Amino acid sequence: RDVDGSPVAGVDVFFSETGAGAFRNGNSNAFGTTNAAGVATAEVISLPGELGTQTVRAEIFASETQCENAANVGTDPQGNNLNTTTNTGAAGVCADTSTVTFSNTPASPSATPTAGTCTTPAQVTIQDATIIATGAGRLSVDAPANSIIELEAYTRPSTTYRVVRRAEINAAGDDAQFTITPPANTRLRARVVGCAFGDSKVMNVRTALSIFATRTGVKTYRFSGDSLPARPGGLIVSLYRVTASGSQVLTAQTRASATTGDWVINRTFTGTGRFGFVVRTGQDLQNAPGASNVRPTQIY
């Protein structure tokens, strides 16, 4: 809600979870967008045999809502004048947590492999080897007909596998198809229940980057945007100027917020003209290299 208590539609909400269970997509992260009532949802499920408490965190970003602004400062994105005396509340809340307790969860269905089903291990094939964070990737699992398979995965920085999907291969032996939305590089493996795992495969996830430019003075500009997912210590974000020949020249660097992923660069130029600007991040253990769209900007 905005400072007047009215619902705000179209705000992106980032959900994360720890503990028992997972989101319906099988991951520890999910995204939602608020509807006309200001509500965004994410569904959680218990995995086979799991008991315990799950903590779910919902987070919105200050760049979209000014939730971190102090009360009575400026104008919010919905047009409310925060300088008026009627808005005397505290600064907005950017994040909150809730808990879910899973109890009396049925045990994982038993499945005894039939003769020959363990001869050839289940194999994972990744159709989208590299995706952008917040995007979806496709994969399939090949296993013998009529077998029950488990798909396990871990997403960096974790290195602990857990079951994220289960499926039954039909009588025709068609591959099981899955779509996943990991926020960071993810390793996957599969097996027929009761058999050994096949080879693991990696789905690389590029950092999602946005870029905006605002003129703040003569040849002086404020570049800003988001980098997702945010990470401890903050991610190094590099601003490049795109030349007429298409090459990219490093212009400035900054470190994104460790909690929100927001980044800001203030830059004063010596010349004038129309240029393209792009922000990039390097590769690390958690994510593949990322790049924003090119932002055309008139420098004057």
Side-chain angles (χ1 to χ4, degrees), residues 2 58 131 164 191-192 212 235 240 252 262:
D2 63 22
I131 63 172
V164 295
R191 68 171 179 175
V192 174
F212 305 93
L235 185 67
Y240 290 83
D262 294 348

Side-chain angles (χ1 to χ4, degrees), residues 7 21 52-53 55 63 71 86 93 142 144 149-150 156 159 161 167-168 175 187 239 244 253 295:
T53 299
T55 299
S63 59
T86 58
V93 176
D142 177 36
I149 58 129
E150 289 180 336
R156 290 291 190 174
T159 57
Y161 280 108
E168 184 174 356
D175 291 356
R187 185 172 290 276
L239 177 69
Q253 289 184 313
R295 176 69 164 80

Side-chain angles (χ1 to χ4, degrees), residues 4-282:
D4 288 337
S6 301
V8 181
V11 175
D12 292 329
V13 179
F14 175 67
F15 295 94
S16 58
E17 66 85 28
T18 56
F23 288 109
R24 171 64 72 179
N25 62 15
N27 298 319
S28 293
N29 296 280
F31 289 85
T33 303
T34 56
N35 58 20
V39 176
T41 61
E43 185 177 3
V44 295
I45 61 171
S46 60
L47 298 177
E50 278 198 315
L51 302 174
T53 299
Q54 178 187 47
T55 299
V56 179
R57 176 181 173 87
E59 183 176 0
I60 55 179
F61 299 106
S63 59
E64 293 188 70
T65 63
Q66 294 191 0
C67 59
E68 291 181 339
N69 281 16
N72 308 325
V73 177
T75 301
D76 74 9
Q78 289 72 51
N80 297 293
N81 183 0
L82 303 184
N83 296 302
T84 62
T85 57
T86 58
N87 297 320
T88 57
V93 176
C94 292
D96 201 0
T97 60
S98 183
T99 58
V100 180
T101 300
F102 296 116
S103 60
N104 299 322
T105 307
S108 175
S110 61
T112 301
T114 59
T117 57
C118 288
T119 303
T120 303
Q123 293 295 329
V124 174
T125 299
I126 296 178
Q127 281 80 38
D128 301 302
T130 302
I131 63 172
I132 297 176
T134 74
R138 299 166 298 159
L139 62 98
S140 61
V141 176
D142 177 36
N146 299 314
S147 61
I148 297 175
I149 58 129
E150 289 180 336
L151 178 68
E152 290 193 346
Y154 65 76
T155 296
R156 290 291 190 174
S158 172
T159 57
T160 302
Y161 280 108
R162 69 171 186 170
V163 177
V164 295
R165 295 287 195 281
R166 286 177 65 91
E168 184 174 356
I169 304 297
N170 61 23
D174 296 329
D175 291 356
Q177 304 291 327
F178 302 100
T179 299
I180 61 174
T181 56
N185 298 336
T186 297
R187 185 172 290 276
L188 304 112
R189 66 183 185 181
R191 68 171 179 175
V192 174
V193 174
C195 302
F197 284 96
D199 296 336
S200 65
K201 302 291 176 62
V202 173
M203 181 177 289
N204 292 303
V205 181
R206 296 186 184 277
T207 302
L209 291 164
S210 62
I211 180 172
F212 305 93
T214 303
R215 185 174 184 266
T216 58
V218 176
K219 293 187 284 188
T220 301
Y221 289 77
R222 180 180 185 268
F223 296 91
S224 62
D226 289 332
S227 62
L228 295 175
R231 66 199 65 188
L235 185 67
I236 297 297
V237 177
S238 301
L239 177 69
Y240 290 83
R241 176 173 57 85
V242 182
T243 68
S245 64
S247 61
Q248 297 182 3
V249 179
L250 180 63
T251 300
Q253 289 184 313
T254 190
R255 189 179 293 275
S257 166
T259 55
T260 66
D262 294 348
W263 61 270
V264 174
I265 292 175
N266 293 297
R267 183 76 164 82
T268 299
F269 298 89
T270 57
T272 61
R274 185 172 179 83
F275 304 96
F277 290 91
V278 62
V279 287
R280 308 181 69 89
T281 59

